[in-house]
């Protein structure tokens, strides 16, 4: 399970942050992230300027109101803290960072909800990328975000609207606090876990 949770974190980091974290209305959902031949399931909770994502034994809590993210690993008896870069806040909204064009493409039923589909063109560095965003409830709830090239898709299923318990978004207690590595270091670490997981999977050691 530890290796699977680490790979889930790698997969989450490989998807643009705006696809997974936002300032939507309060709700909880099952989040299914697919990409690179893998599917990762997580439980997510959205409160005002707060999110919580549970993947196996790892939990990621983001607090926009405190400009901080906590990665909680109770099995290791610790959690890591990283300040949120101000530039990241723009990635946690309906509008995509670097967005240069948003084209309405009609309505579709996605995950049981009537949603409006948008084709979004955005810039990441020198690259121009395209993704599709599906929004329900007047644009206040995401139901799907996917890359136009099919490289990744994030689905929100079993959506339950309403206020979420504040206790879900509190800083962990009784765990050792560590400063979180940079995103680059974390991706490198997760890639190492991913490669180890895939080797052991091929050899039958899960």
């Amino acid at each position: 399970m530890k290796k699977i949770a680490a790979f889930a974190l790698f997969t989450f980091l490989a998807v643009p942050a705006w696809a997974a974290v936002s300032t939507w209305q309060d709700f909880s959902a099952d989040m299914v992230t697919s990409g690179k031949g893998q599917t990762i399931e997580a439980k997510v909770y959205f409160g005002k300027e707060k999110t919580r994502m549970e993947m196996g034994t790892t939990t990621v809590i983001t607090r926009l109101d405190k400009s901080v993210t906590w990665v909680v690993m109770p099995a290791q008896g610790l959690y890591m803290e990283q300040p949120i870069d101000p530039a990241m806040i723009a990635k946690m909204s309906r509008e995509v960072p670097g967005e240069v064009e948003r084209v309405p493409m009609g309505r579709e039923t996605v995950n049981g909800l009537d949603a409006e589909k948008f084709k979004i063109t955005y810039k990441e560095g020198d690259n121009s990328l395209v993704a599709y965003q599906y929004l329900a409830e007047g644009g206040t709830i995401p139901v799907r975000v996917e890359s136009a090239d099919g490289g990744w898709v994030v689905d929100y299923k079993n959506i339950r609207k309403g206020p979420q318990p504040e206790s879900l978004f509190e800083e962990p207690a009784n765990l050792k606090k560590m400063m979180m590595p940079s995103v680059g270091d974390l991706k490198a670490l997760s890639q190492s876990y991913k490669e180890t997981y895939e080797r052991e999977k091929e050899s039958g050691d899960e």
Side-chain angles (χ1 to χ4, degrees), residues 168-190:
L168 293 173
F169 311 107
E170 294 176 355
E171 184 171 2
N174 303 318
L175 295 177
K176 183 179 179 181
K177 180 178 180 179
M178 299 178 62
M179 292 307 295
M180 195 170 178
S182 68
V183 171
D185 290 342
L186 194 56
K187 282 187 176 181
L189 178 62
S190 297

Side-chain angles (χ1 to χ4, degrees), residues 141-201:
I141 291 182
V143 291
R144 176 177 294 165
V145 188
E146 60 184 350
S147 61
D149 64 5
W152 55 265
V153 58
V154 179
D155 272 308
Y156 298 89
K157 301 181 178 181
N158 302 317
I159 293 172
R160 290 165 289 278
K161 297 182 291 182
Q164 304 300 308
E166 287 297 319
S167 59
L168 293 173
F169 311 107
E170 294 176 355
E171 184 171 2
N174 303 318
L175 295 177
K176 183 179 179 181
K177 180 178 180 179
M178 299 178 62
M179 292 307 295
M180 195 170 178
S182 68
V183 171
D185 290 342
L186 194 56
K187 282 187 176 181
L189 178 62
S190 297
Q191 178 66 16
S192 176
Y193 275 113
K194 172 180 176 287
E195 292 171 353
T196 299
Y197 168 71
E198 290 177 341
R199 284 197 301 269
E200 293 186 357
K201 183 179 179 180

Side-chain angles (χ1 to χ4, degrees), residues 42-194:
K43 181 74 175 181
V44 291
Y45 305 85
F46 293 79
K48 184 179 180 181
E49 297 190 317
K50 307 176 181 71
T51 64
R52 178 187 179 95
M53 179 170 61
E54 300 173 353
M55 301 175 295
T57 60
T58 302
T59 297
V60 180
I61 300 171
T62 300
R63 293 287 300 266
L64 296 185
D65 57 337
K66 295 179 178 293
S67 297
V68 69
T69 292
W70 298 306
V71 178
V72 186
M73 297 172 288
Q76 287 73 39
L78 59 85
Y79 70 100
M80 296 187 290
E81 177 178 299
Q82 182 181 44
I84 297 176
D85 189 300
M88 283 292 293
I89 295 177
K91 296 187 177 185
M92 299 177 186
S93 62
R94 180 178 184 273
E95 183 176 344
V96 174
E99 182 175 320
V100 295
E101 184 179 49
R102 174 180 290 260
V103 179
M105 299 188 68
R107 309 193 72 87
E108 294 185 19
T109 299
V110 181
N111 298 328
L113 293 176
D114 177 52
E116 188 172 4
K117 180 179 180 180
F118 296 91
K119 179 181 179 181
I120 300 170
T121 302
Y122 63 102
K123 290 282 189 180
E124 276 193 359
D126 295 328
N127 298 318
S128 181
L129 304 174
V130 176
Y132 297 109
Q133 186 184 57
Y134 301 79
L135 303 178
E137 300 285 333
T140 63
I141 291 182
V143 291
R144 176 177 294 165
V145 188
E146 60 184 350
S147 61
D149 64 5
W152 55 265
V153 58
V154 179
D155 272 308
Y156 298 89
K157 301 181 178 181
N158 302 317
I159 293 172
R160 290 165 289 278
K161 297 182 291 182
Q164 304 300 308
E166 287 297 319
S167 59
L168 293 173
F169 311 107
E170 294 176 355
E171 184 171 2
N174 303 318
L175 295 177
K176 183 179 179 181
K177 180 178 180 179
M178 299 178 62
M179 292 307 295
M180 195 170 178
S182 68
V183 171
D185 290 342
L186 194 56
K187 282 187 176 181
L189 178 62
S190 297
Q191 178 66 16
S192 176
Y193 275 113
K194 172 180 176 287

